[in-house]
Amino acid sequence: MLLPKITTFFNRSLTAKQLKQLHGFILVQGLNHLEGLIIRDLITSQSDYSQSISHYLRLILHHSALPDVDSATSAMRYFCKHGGYHEAFDLYVGLQRSGLSPSTFTVASALKACARIGDGNGGIMIHGQVYKYGFCGDVYVETALVGVYTKLGDMETAHKVFDEMSERNVVSWNSMIDGYLRSGDFATAEVVFSGVPNKDVVSWNSMVSGYSRTGDMEKALKLFDEMPERNLISWNAMISGYIECGKLDLARKFYDSMLQRNTISCITMIGGYSKCGDIVSARKLFSETDRMDHLLYNAMIACYAKNSRPKEALQLFDEMLQTNVNIQPNKMTLATVISACSQLGDLTFGSWIHEHYMNQTGITMDDHLRTALIDLYAKCGSIDKAFKLFHNLQNKDVVAYTAMILGCGINGKQQIAIKLFDEMTESKIRPNLVTFSGLLTALSHVGMVEESYHRFNSMKRYGLVPTPNHFSLMVEILGRAGRLEEAHNLIKSMPMEPDAGVWGALLLACSTHNDVELGEIAAKHCFELEADSSGYGSLLANIYSSVGRWEDAKRLRKSIHEKGLVKVPGSSWMDHLQE
DNA sequence: CTAGGGTTAG
């Protein structure tokens, strides 16, 4: 007779905490079949999305028998809404296993989850079940199916499903437009767009952002002006389009002329400033914002981290946790903060986040975070920890491999670095410019000149054009082996202007091999390219000393000293040398 | 219930 009493508690908008207590009680009483009601209430409760609810939902779903179909469907929709597409899909699979028949809502949610994950197999499987359950005539289900295929880029099948629909709504049309735009078929997208019976603001927005993504701002602007109705998304699409093609001032003009903005308008703008290194404007915008949230903090912290200002990044992270601010970080925050730690070589703080903070806050690990940690541990010498994390990756992508290759390189495991590189290319993951920087850095620590040449030359095969950084690594490798003339020739063969890094590498090599003639040439270029750095002068002075040219060394050191006191504009150190 | 915007790791 306990049962009716308990059920009266439900549907009364209990708080998450109260529901939690109720759940405990139910379990103690052995009334597990009521768990579904708890889930439903958790979902429909007025409380905002919070990590505790989501965490709690996961617990219920993983530890107990599945509830009824409607509750499971509600949970799936809840997960979809908050990005838990994998959970939603798992739930669907669980539903299937326990022999429960899904409703059209269930199937539509599951399809949405597949579309967002990009799970083609899952989508096709459910497509089959749509026929089995006789859901073919349902607009929502069929629209969701179109969504699966457009997101996969399979416009042929999408078109087929769309064609066979007995009834279409504006969402079905919009999905098709979006699909064509994403596959780069603007002509067909235009045709479909003009054929939509009742265009809504989404149809227009899809077109605008389709063009703005590719940087065709003329077309985007034309559509934007023609739109009968605009919303925040239309404006934000214009802002990000202008940022994409480097027109920060125009982006800002749009931003300023918005009557109301949201967080995304602001973080788009901050991201734009971040990309072009304008930390000051980014910070100004950030500080002027009145409604703070974790996205804004993430954007600003990322701006600092990306622009080599790890200290400021950590400071802002600290500010975010202060009780008067009290904004909860998420995975992205932590990934960025860990990257700042590894720039600073701060293993203590970084591993504290890994070992304690994540447990405290219930933030779970993902591959982005793992990769950031791999980089941190590897750069701080804990290569074993890095390896452990590397093996735990769900899927190893080019970024993870690059971090590991570089990590092996700086920890004296060059052979493993090469092995990892080959393993990566064999599994059809394409290396990029950063990967080669990592590999060449690894090789520069040992005298493997031929191996380095081989790898350097192989860049072409991947369609990669070496940057000055790659050349300077090669110069360093040749220089270490004492092949200075060869290094000099490589520099002369560069298709672009060598930078100070390249000449600096040669100068350093000359100083270890006491080569005056080439050293002077290298130093001359360094002075021209980076007149305010005194390090080059010291290197050349060392070369002079090593061959007994004490007078030259003395004169050079003196002028370095003077330069530290009085800055002479336009004066090259070579002028002093050639006196 | 379906569609549309931004941010994270080398």
Side-chain angles (χ1 to χ4, degrees):
Chain A
M1 287 311 98
L2 200 53
L3 209 132
K5 274 188 201 161
I6 289 179
T7 47
T8 57
F9 281 110
F10 291 103
N11 299 318
R12 283 197 182 177
S13 54
L14 299 175
T15 63
K17 199 179 164 193
Q18 288 166 323
L19 283 164
K20 219 172 199 167
Q21 288 169 345
L22 195 54
H23 180 233
F25 181 70
I26 281 171
L27 289 184
V28 171
Q29 299 293 326
L31 303 166
N32 297 34
H33 59 284
L34 288 177
E35 282 190 314
L37 293 172
I38 298 258
I39 296 174
R40 190 148 53 192
D41 277 13
L42 266 171
I43 295 154
T44 51
S45 74
Q46 294 303 315
S47 53
D48 284 336
Y49 170 67
S50 76
Q51 271 174 340
S52 75
I53 295 184
S54 149
H55 184 65
Y56 183 59
L57 263 173
R58 239 159 251 165
L59 279 180
I60 294 183
L61 297 169
H62 286 165
H63 291 289
S64 59
L66 272 166
D68 60 296
V69 175
D70 286 346
S71 300
T73 307
S74 301
M76 284 172 66
R77 283 178 38 211
Y78 180 85
F79 279 130
C80 278
K81 196 171 162 192
H82 297 103
Y85 301 111
H86 286 280
E87 286 86 350
F89 186 72
D90 289 349
L91 210 54
Y92 183 79
V93 174
L95 215 64
Q96 292 274 308
R97 281 222 188 90
S98 46
L100 294 165
S101 290
S103 67
T104 52
F105 302 148
T106 325
V107 171
S109 283
L111 285 170
K112 182 185 176 174
C114 290
R116 303 307 282 247
I117 304 167
D119 182 350
N121 294 332
I124 291 162
M125 176 193 89
I126 300 172
H127 193 166
Q129 288 162 354
V130 168
Y131 294 113
K132 183 178 143 196
Y133 293 114
F135 292 161
C136 289
D138 187 276
V139 215
Y140 295 123
V141 170
E142 290 203 293
T143 301
L145 263 177
V146 172
V148 167
Y149 291 110
T150 54
K151 286 242 162 37
L152 285 171
D154 182 356
M155 287 315 289
E156 211 176 305
T157 313
H159 187 239
K160 200 164 159 268
V161 175
F162 183 80
D163 251 9
E164 286 167 6
M165 286 172 80
S166 51
E167 185 192 340
R168 298 174 195 105
N169 60 23
V170 69
V171 180
S172 333
W173 286 93
N174 290 345
S175 284
M176 289 302 285
I177 295 176
D178 184 61
Y180 284 120
L181 288 169
R182 281 182 199 275
S183 60
D185 187 351
F186 289 82
T188 313
E190 286 278 6
V191 174
V192 177
F193 177 70
S194 58
V196 183
N198 295 306
K199 290 187 198 62
D200 66 357
V201 66
V202 179
S203 327
W204 286 91
N205 280 344
S206 299
M207 291 303 289
V208 171
S209 48
Y211 280 117
S212 79
R213 264 196 305 269
T214 55
D216 188 347
M217 292 315 287
E218 267 178 52
K219 280 268 178 54
L221 183 60
K222 190 167 169 285
L223 284 155
F224 183 82
D225 284 338
E226 283 171 13
M227 286 176 81
E229 173 201 348
R230 295 173 201 95
N231 61 15
L232 276 170
I233 293 170
S234 334
W235 285 87
N236 290 343
M238 291 302 285
I239 294 176
S240 56
Y242 281 121
I243 286 171
E244 188 57 43
C245 55
K247 293 180 176 152
L248 262 284
D249 44 343
L250 279 172
R252 185 60 194 248
K253 222 181 98 192
F254 268 80
Y255 180 85
D256 285 333
S257 49
M258 286 170 84
L259 291 175
Q260 49 169 329
R261 308 173 188 103
N262 61 4
T263 298
I264 293 180
S265 333
C266 190
I267 64 177
T268 307
M269 213 48 234
I270 290 177
Y273 286 129
S274 173
K275 269 185 207 113
C276 60
D278 188 350
I279 306 173
V280 177
S281 301
R283 179 68 202 223
K284 195 155 171 284
L285 201 60
F286 175 79
S287 306
E288 283 164 7
T289 312
D290 40 1
R291 270 189 49 229
M292 280 297 170
D293 63 9
H294 67 282
L295 294 173
L296 272 160
Y297 268 91
N298 285 359
M300 195 59 223
I301 294 173
C303 174
Y304 281 131
K306 267 265 164 0
N307 288 287
S308 309
R309 304 287 274 272
K311 273 192 189 153
E312 280 96 330
L314 293 187
Q315 261 167 26
L316 205 59
F317 177 61
D318 187 58
E319 183 187 306
M320 163 179 195
L321 303 181
Q322 296 296 316
T323 40
N324 56 335
V325 182
N326 195 24
I327 293 173
Q328 283 305 305
N330 63 6
K331 286 178 201 213
M332 295 177 192
T333 327
L334 296 191
T336 316
V337 167
I338 289 164
S339 132
C341 289
S342 77
Q343 287 179 45
L344 287 169
D346 188 344
L347 183 61
T348 314
F349 190 59
S351 57
W352 174 77
I353 290 180
H354 182 197
E355 280 151 9
H356 298 101
Y357 188 75
M358 287 178 63
N359 285 335
Q360 273 173 36
T361 51
I363 296 177
T364 51
M365 189 68 88
D366 70 355
D367 279 0
H368 276 289
L369 254 168
R370 260 192 207 96
T371 309
L373 284 165
I374 288 171
D375 180 61
L376 171 79
Y377 284 122
K379 284 207 174 112
C380 296
S382 305
I383 190 73
D384 293 340
K385 278 194 180 168
F387 256 114
K388 213 173 148 210
L389 285 157
F390 184 72
H391 290 306
N392 283 332
L393 284 168
Q394 301 273 321
N395 52 58
K396 304 181 174 68
D397 65 0
V398 62
V399 184
Y401 267 108
T402 302
M404 212 54 227
I405 289 168
L406 180 66
C408 285
I410 53 186
N411 284 284
K413 298 181 186 299
Q414 282 75 23
Q415 291 301 339
I416 300 179
I418 296 171
K419 214 183 107 219
L420 281 168
F421 184 89
D422 291 335
E423 183 186 304
M424 181 185 83
T425 52
E426 271 155 32
S427 44
K428 303 280 172 253
I429 299 171
R430 279 174 61 124
N432 59 26
L433 290 170
V434 189
T435 320
F436 274 100
S437 287
L439 183 65
L440 291 174
T441 304
L443 294 172
S444 76
H445 288 9
V446 284
M448 302 168 75
V449 177
E450 301 318 317
E451 180 72 27
S452 304
Y453 262 128
H454 167 63
R455 301 294 176 173
F456 180 74
N457 291 329
S458 77
M459 288 178 75
K460 222 187 310 173
R461 281 214 301 277
Y462 299 100
L464 298 172
V465 182
T467 68
N469 175 47
H470 298 96
F471 277 99
S472 55
L473 285 163
M474 281 308 290
V475 169
E476 190 184 328
I477 291 162
L478 290 167
R480 268 186 204 233
R483 291 155 74 159
L484 299 176
E485 202 52 53
E486 205 175 327
H488 189 206
N489 287 334
L490 184 68
I491 296 177
K492 285 192 282 195
S493 77
M494 281 172 68
M496 73 288 275
E497 277 303 304
D499 64 4
V502 177
W503 288 113
L506 183 65
L507 178 58
L508 190 69
C510 291
S511 89
T512 49
H513 291 94
N514 306 323
D515 186 319
V516 182
E517 199 187 325
L518 265 183
E520 282 184 341
I521 294 171
K524 182 173 187 276
H525 284 102
C526 289
F527 296 152
E528 276 167 6
L529 291 162
E530 261 179 30
D532 51 347
S533 171
S534 65
Y536 303 123
S538 311
L539 276 174
L540 184 58
N542 290 344
I543 301 178
Y544 284 139
S545 308
S546 67
V547 294
R549 283 169 64 173
W550 308 110
E551 278 309 308
D552 289 323
K554 201 173 149 194
R555 194 163 52 232
L556 188 54
R557 290 219 171 85
K558 192 170 156 248
S559 54
I560 291 166
H561 187 66
E562 277 165 6
K563 197 208 170 193
L565 298 172
V566 251
K567 187 150 179 128
V568 190
S571 109
S572 159
W573 289 109
M574 226 41 205
D575 299 339
H576 297 278
L577 294 168
Q578 282 160 349
E579 277 171 12

